[in-house]
Structure formats: structure tokens, C-alpha cells
Amino acid sequence: MTPGALNAIVPMACVTAAGIAAMVAESFREPGEHMPIAGLGLVGLIGAAISAVLLWNHNTSSFGLVSADNFGLFVTLILVCVGVLTLAISGPTIERERLPAGEHYALTLFALAGMMLMATATDLLVIFLALEVLSLAVYVLTGLRRDSPVASEAAFKYFLLGAFSSAFFLYGIAFTYGVTGSTHLDRIGSVIAAGAAQETLMQRLALGLLLVGFAFKVSAVPFHMWTPDAYEGAPSSVTGFMSTGVKAAAFAAFVRVFLSAFEPMRADWGAVLWVVAAATMILGTVVGVVQPNIKRMLAYSSIAHGGYLLVALLSGNDLGKGAVLFYLLTYAVTNLGAFGVIGLLESAGTQPSAISHQPFIPATGHQPPNDQVRDYAGLWHTHPMLAGLMTVFLLSLSGFPPMAGFIAKWYVFTAAMKAGYSGLAIIGVLTSVVSVFFYLRVVVMMYMTEGERPAAFPAVPRMAGLALVVSAIVIFYLGILPARVLDWAAQSIGTIF
Amino acid sequence: MTGSPMLFYLFAAVAVGASLLVIAQRNPVYSVLLLIGSFGALSGLYVLLDAPFVAVIQIIVYAGAIMVLFLFVVMLLNAPHEDTDYDSHVHPLLRPGPMRFGAALALAFGVELVWALTRAGQSGAFAGGAVSSVAQIGHALFTDYAFPFEVTSILILVAMMGAVVLARRD
């Protein structure tokens, strides 16, 4: 083995090592002893970020299965942002819900390693393994609140449907192997391109099964049913993590598989994806309007954002591929910020002492989790800073200038217009306008309605507060001066397609 | 392989039929036993694919070890039995639902067994030497697939940790 042969897997190795360290640290922790386990994770993530930056433009690959091209590294860096923000905002949630801290951090880090692998893998087999690593970790994270029936139900639904979709995906890989004799994306691409004239039924079947598998993971309509339940039941920090991290990893693999290996079959998947993208945008927005629970509302918003990302993917031109990356970054920072605020406010409404420690028995006297939209009434009067930050995140999600969300959506729709998908662009703009309504509902609630609850907020932990402020600054930076990051995004797609 | 499509369809039919019956059963013990049948048929398919090692592993690991664990869990949990509302004196083929399927399945197994025995030695499944000998599998696993193999270890670690986190009492 030549020196440097392992370079491409260094970022995910750093994160995996941090995960193992977190696990070991937890097992040596005395009950009640405080250990900076999140700090361990942070060290691993910083290592991953540094190695990703050093690998930039080198286009290294390991084992012929993992390729650290700029595309994968860009997604890796997005995932580092996701990881750092998740570690920073999950403190209050862990303390309030009395979640096992070491396991929470270790599973988060393992999931991140799986996501990074999924974004850089160039072989369907490895993509599948990475998908399983991240999915298993996220299923468990969803069900971490064992005393809550809602969380158990959410984890179980997510697990069953996720396992089901994995089976679809694996079946698709098997058929692909049957058609092309390989699981490597390059070879699949060249075999399909060579035989493009006579497309077999089996080839279409393989394509369809893979499409279903991916659609489940990015929660595209009609495979979105698990999303609202899973997002509502999971602890807020975990919801933020899985809505951004899983999406980023799944879309990275989606783009890689469909725009490189299956690009010659665009005639087949293009029409299907058109319908899926349109349905995803419309359903996510329309159903989101009527949600009284803010986590469910953001779950439907997440479905709608998946639809915009599908539009960018479908456009398939350089602008569209760059738009996918930029959108993923923007969405990651914005959505994690929003869920950070939700996590902090949940802490304000729930008493830790009310939590029962009997597993699977509904806790008696458990206070409402404070996550309805009406619970945000009068937030401006009790906690102006959090209300202001939440406003920034929600407006960015809805695509208001000068927030980053506006630029991201603008690029997606421009790419769609250039690629000739003006119908999708129109649907996208219209649904964005409708979505403004439900984001603004929360904002109106915060500023113009008097709360019934007395102001009794615990102090915001320093780490979480800092992370939220930095996210807000990043959102404004990406919204006002997006040129540099867009440039990097454009560079990173140049290397593989 | 030079094997017969007939055998393939038999094994495949048994595998699909048994798998469908797994979810149609009301008694979990029957489900587990049917799952063993499905795994057995799958291992037959592996033999047809010239992969005797995988076939044997399928029997030993899945049909043997894992299903015994399943059975233990089902019995320890004391899963409730459905009431049987048929007359036990009626011939199995005439009984309702699951029993009839079971009888059909037994018939399929019988046919298969006879088929396999009468054609022993002439199927030629191993004639050209197995494609996947243990040595070859080992070689592939630790050269071409060394990295996926290692990723699997992380996968198992996550699964193990998840099971402990979700199941322990504190």
C-alpha cells in the first residue's frame, strides 16, 4: 500500500475515532460526573474539516471505492457544520430529557461518519453500507427518549419504513449489478452508456428501485409519510440533525448516482422526477400550512425544501449541481438554527422532575412539550434575542432577501429555467409564496400576540447561544455576499461530472 | 451453472411463498418456522448459483443460529396464540387458511426432495469447480472489499450500541 492511499477516508476516520472516544469516555464516566464529551466530538470534527480542506483539489481516492473529490469534500464540510451545530445545541435537550449524553454524542458522530462516507463513496455497495450506518444511528437517536410513547412510536415507524426503503435500495443495487456486472458507478455509467440503444426492462427496474430508495431517504412525496412523525417524536436537537445531515448525505449520493451513472437514462427518470418534485413541493407546503405543532410544521417545510433540491438535481446543468450544494449548506445552517431555538424553548416549558424513569410507561404529570405554534406567543416580550434569531431562521427558510435562503432558491429556480423546466420553477415560486404564510404565522405569534405564560426562561447556555448567533451571521453572509461560496460550489462540481 | 430452470423456479416459489406466509401467520412460532423454510429455499438458490459456501453459511448462520434465537425470544415473550376455530379432525388440505398453505408447502418440499434425489449427480452444478470457494471469498473480502468489510464493523458497533441504549434499564 502506497503512502497516501488512505487519504480519502481521513475526514470520516477522524469523526469515527471521535465517536469511539466518546463511547469509551462515557463508559469510564462516574455517575454524575461531568465530562466534556461534546468537546471530544468537536476535536474530531475540526480534524475532519482540516483534512477536507487539505484534500481540496487533490482528487484523491482510496480503494477505488471512496473518492475525495471536491464535490464530496464540499458535502463533507457541510456535514462538519451540521455536526458542530448539533453538538452545540444538543446540550440543553440532553439535560432536560435526561438522555444518555455519551451515547447521544457517539451515535451522532457515527452517523456523521456514515454521512461523510455516503457523500464520497463511488460504489453502490459502499453507499449502501454508509446509508445503513447513518440510518441505524439516527433510528436510535430518534428513540432516545425512552419514557415518551411519542418518541418510541416515531422511532419504530422510522425504523420500519427505513428498513423497507433500504430493501428497495438493495434490490435496486442487485438489479443494477445484474444488468451491468458491477457496483462501481463509473463502470455502471459506461456500460449503460454503451448499451443505451436497447434499454432492458431490468435496467429500468433497477433504476426505479434505486429511485424509490433515495426518495424515501430524502422524504420525497409519496415516500414522505414517516417524516412528520419521526421529526415530532425525536428530541429537537436530533430532529435538526437528521433533517439536515441525512438530507445532505442522501442528496450527495443521489446526485452522484443519477447524474453520473444513470445520466444516460435521463429520459426514463426525468419525467418521474418531475412529477415527484412538483408533488413534493406542493404537498409539503400545503399540508405545512395547517400544522399547529411547530416541529411538524418544520417537518413539512423540510419535505418542501427536499422538493426544491429535487428541482435543482433534475435541472442537472452546472448551475443546478452548484445550486444543490449551496442549498444544502444554507438549509443545514438555517434549519439547525431553528431547531436550536425550539430546543431551548422546550426546555423552558418542561420540568425535568416530571420525567418518569420507567421505560415504555407514559410519564405521569409530564408537561406539554411546549412545541405548539401558539406557545410562541409573546416570545418577543419575554426573550427578544431568541425571537429575533428565530425570525432570521424562519425568514431565511421562506426565502426572504437578504437572507441566504433567498439566494439558494433563486439559484435553484434559475437553474430550472435554464434547463427548460419552467413549469417546475413556477410551481416552486408559487409554493415559496404560500410557505411564507406559515413561517410568518410563527413570527406574528412571537411579536404581536401576548403570551399567557409568565416569563420564566432559564439562561441560554453559552455554547448554544453562540452557535445560534453564528448561524444567523452565516445566513446573512451567505445572503449578502454569496459569491465566494458559490464559486467553491461551482469548483467542486467541475471535478466529477 | 448448467442446472435446471425447473429447480430455480421451485426454490424461488418456496422462498416467496414461505416469506408471504411468514407475515400471514397469526402464531409467531409458525412465522419463525416458515422463515426457516424460506432461508432453506434461499440456500438452495445459492447452490444453483455455484456458491456452496454461501449456501452452507446461510443454513448454519441464519436457519440455524439466528432462527433459534428468534424462536427463543418468541417463546420467552410468550406470544399469545390465536384461537383455532377449525375442527382438528378435518384433513389438513381441507382446513382453512394457513393450514392449507402449510400443506401445499409441504407438498412442494416433497416434490423438490424427490426431484433432487432422482437427479443427484447429473445436475452438474459443481462441474466446473465452484466459483466461490472459501479461499476466493476470503481473498476478495480482504483485498477488493477490505474497506466495505471494515465499514461493516462500524455498522455492527452502531447497531450494538443502539440495542444497548434502547433496551437497558437504568
Side-chain angles (χ1 to χ4, degrees):
Chain A
M1 190 170 277
T2 52
L6 294 176
N7 277 354
I9 61 165
V10 169
M12 65 203 80
C14 287
V15 180
T16 311
I20 293 173
M23 196 175 71
V24 174
E26 171 69 20
S27 62
F28 280 104
R29 191 171 67 94
E30 301 288 331
E33 185 188 347
H34 273 280
M35 248 193 202
I37 297 179
L40 275 177
L42 211 56
V43 171
L45 286 169
I46 291 170
I50 292 172
S51 49
V53 170
L54 290 178
L55 286 169
W56 190 262
N57 273 339
H58 282 284
N59 216 4
T60 46
S61 93
S62 296
F63 309 104
L65 303 170
V66 181
S67 167
D69 42 35
N70 286 358
F71 175 80
L73 291 175
F74 194 95
V75 181
T76 302
L77 288 171
I78 294 177
L79 290 168
V80 169
C81 294
V82 169
V84 170
L85 285 176
T86 307
L87 291 183
I89 65 168
S90 48
T93 310
I94 291 176
E95 222 158 87
R96 172 172 37 92
E97 306 277 358
R98 302 209 177 155
L99 302 177
E103 286 86 344
H104 179 287
Y105 290 127
L107 285 170
T108 306
L109 290 165
F110 285 136
L112 277 169
M115 291 167 184
M116 289 174 183
L117 180 57
M118 193 166 173
T120 47
T122 54
D123 189 291
L124 284 176
L125 205 62
V126 180
I127 291 179
F128 176 73
L129 280 173
L131 180 71
E132 285 304 287
V133 171
L134 79 89
S135 302
L136 273 183
V138 174
Y139 302 147
V140 179
L141 283 172
T142 306
L144 267 189
R145 294 190 299 169
R146 290 185 306 154
D147 48 5
S148 152
V150 182
S152 302
E153 186 194 333
F156 203 65
K157 272 186 187 163
Y158 191 18
F159 171 66
L160 279 185
L161 287 176
F164 198 49
S165 74
S166 293
F168 273 103
F169 193 72
L170 198 55
Y171 217 17
I173 295 176
F175 276 128
T176 309
Y177 183 76
V179 175
T180 61
S182 173
T183 53
H184 199 276
L185 292 181
D186 290 348
R187 262 166 277 162
I188 294 170
S190 53
V191 169
I192 290 180
Q198 65 264 15
E199 272 178 22
T200 57
L201 182 65
M202 201 154 148
Q203 199 167 312
R204 292 215 180 107
L205 207 57
L207 180 75
L209 288 166
L210 284 177
L211 192 63
V212 171
F214 276 122
F216 255 109
K217 288 298 164 197
V218 302
S219 57
V221 175
F223 308 107
H224 65 283
M225 290 84 76
W226 56 272
T227 318
D229 289 326
Y231 282 19
E232 187 188 359
S236 295
S237 56
V238 173
T239 312
F241 175 62
M242 68 190 198
S243 64
T244 53
V246 175
K247 218 171 212 107
F251 261 103
F254 204 164
V255 167
R256 217 184 257 279
V257 171
F258 275 75
L259 294 185
S260 64
F262 285 98
E263 178 67 31
M265 292 176 73
R266 175 177 271 274
D268 286 317
W269 55 262
V272 179
L273 219 51
W274 197 102
V275 177
V276 169
T280 307
M281 288 187 290
I282 293 171
L283 188 132
T285 310
V286 172
V287 184
V289 168
V290 295
Q291 298 303 317
N293 180 303
I294 194 159
K295 281 165 90 176
R296 283 186 92 84
M297 187 198 94
L298 284 180
Y300 281 104
S301 125
S302 158
I303 294 174
H305 283 282
Y308 302 134
L309 280 159
L310 284 177
V311 173
L313 187 153
L314 185 58
S315 305
N317 44 18
D318 281 359
L319 204 56
K321 291 166 193 160
V324 171
L325 291 176
F326 189 77
Y327 205 110
L328 283 173
L329 175 64
T330 309
Y331 181 69
V333 177
T334 316
N335 216 37
L336 265 169
F339 275 103
V341 176
I342 292 175
L344 286 171
L345 291 178
E346 273 185 349
S347 339
T350 319
Q351 302 299 319
S353 56
I355 293 171
S356 139
H357 285 277
Q358 293 282 328
F360 307 121
I361 296 175
T364 46
H366 204 300
Q367 294 208 359
N370 204 32
D371 58 1
Q372 305 295 314
V373 172
R374 64 166 183 278
D375 293 330
Y376 285 73
L379 186 64
W380 169 253
H381 304 291
T382 52
H383 212 304
M385 189 70 187
L386 280 183
L389 285 169
M390 192 65 173
T391 310
V392 172
F393 299 138
L394 289 175
L395 290 183
S396 176
L397 280 175
S398 69
F400 254 56
M403 266 66 118
F406 168 71
I407 301 286
K409 275 188 184 158
W410 189 69
Y411 267 89
V412 168
F413 298 144
T414 313
M417 292 298 282
K418 282 217 173 124
Y421 291 106
S422 43
L424 275 182
I426 291 168
I427 295 176
V429 171
L430 288 179
T431 51
S432 293
V433 172
V434 175
S435 76
V436 170
F437 169 73
F438 62 74
Y439 295 120
L440 276 185
R441 196 159 58 111
V442 182
V443 175
V444 167
M445 217 36 142
M446 290 192 297
Y447 287 91
M448 300 177 190
T449 321
E450 285 295 327
E452 7 181 288
R453 214 157 14 83
F457 284 105
V460 174
R462 222 179 308 154
M463 273 288 275
L466 185 70
L468 292 178
V469 172
V470 170
S471 316
I473 292 172
V474 169
I475 287 171
F476 278 113
Y477 172 73
L478 290 177
I480 297 167
L481 300 165
R484 179 173 299 184
V485 179
L486 276 172
D487 210 39
W488 288 337
Q491 267 183 43
S492 45
I493 51 142
T495 51
I496 55 163
F497 302 109
Chain B
M1 74 167 202
T2 60
S4 56
M6 183 70 193
L7 268 182
F8 168 79
Y9 286 118
L10 261 176
F11 280 129
V14 171
V16 172
S19 307
L20 284 177
L21 283 174
V22 168
I23 52 173
Q25 291 302 313
R26 294 191 161 174
N27 185 338
V29 176
Y30 290 166
S31 291
V32 173
L33 294 176
L34 280 163
L35 202 52
I36 296 179
S38 171
F39 285 156
L42 277 185
S43 111
L45 286 178
Y46 289 136
V47 171
L48 290 183
L49 287 171
D50 269 351
F53 177 68
V54 183
V56 172
I57 289 296
Q58 170 83 12
I59 296 277
I60 294 176
V61 175
Y62 281 97
I66 292 190
M67 294 321 290
V68 168
L69 278 181
F70 265 34
L71 215 55
F72 268 129
V73 171
V74 167
M75 287 175 170
L76 281 177
L77 287 179
N78 216 359
H81 282 247
E82 288 292 319
D83 287 333
T84 49
D85 50 1
Y86 55 82
D87 185 359
S88 56
H89 295 292
V90 182
H91 189 270
L93 273 177
L94 302 176
R95 281 180 201 157
M99 297 300 283
R100 211 159 23 192
F101 282 121
L105 201 63
L107 200 69
F109 264 128
V111 171
E112 216 168 281
L113 198 63
V114 171
W115 179 273
L117 286 177
T118 52
R119 289 177 53 95
Q122 37 168 314
S123 87
F126 299 104
V131 191
S132 54
S133 68
V134 183
Q136 275 168 319
I137 289 180
H139 192 260
L141 207 54
F142 289 99
T143 53
D144 296 347
Y145 293 100
F147 180 65
F149 182 73
E150 297 300 335
V151 174
T152 317
S153 66
I154 300 292
L155 179 65
I156 293 171
L157 182 66
V158 170
M160 215 158 58
M161 203 164 127
V164 171
V165 170
L166 290 182
R168 80 170 161 207
R169 290 177 190 281
D170 40 13

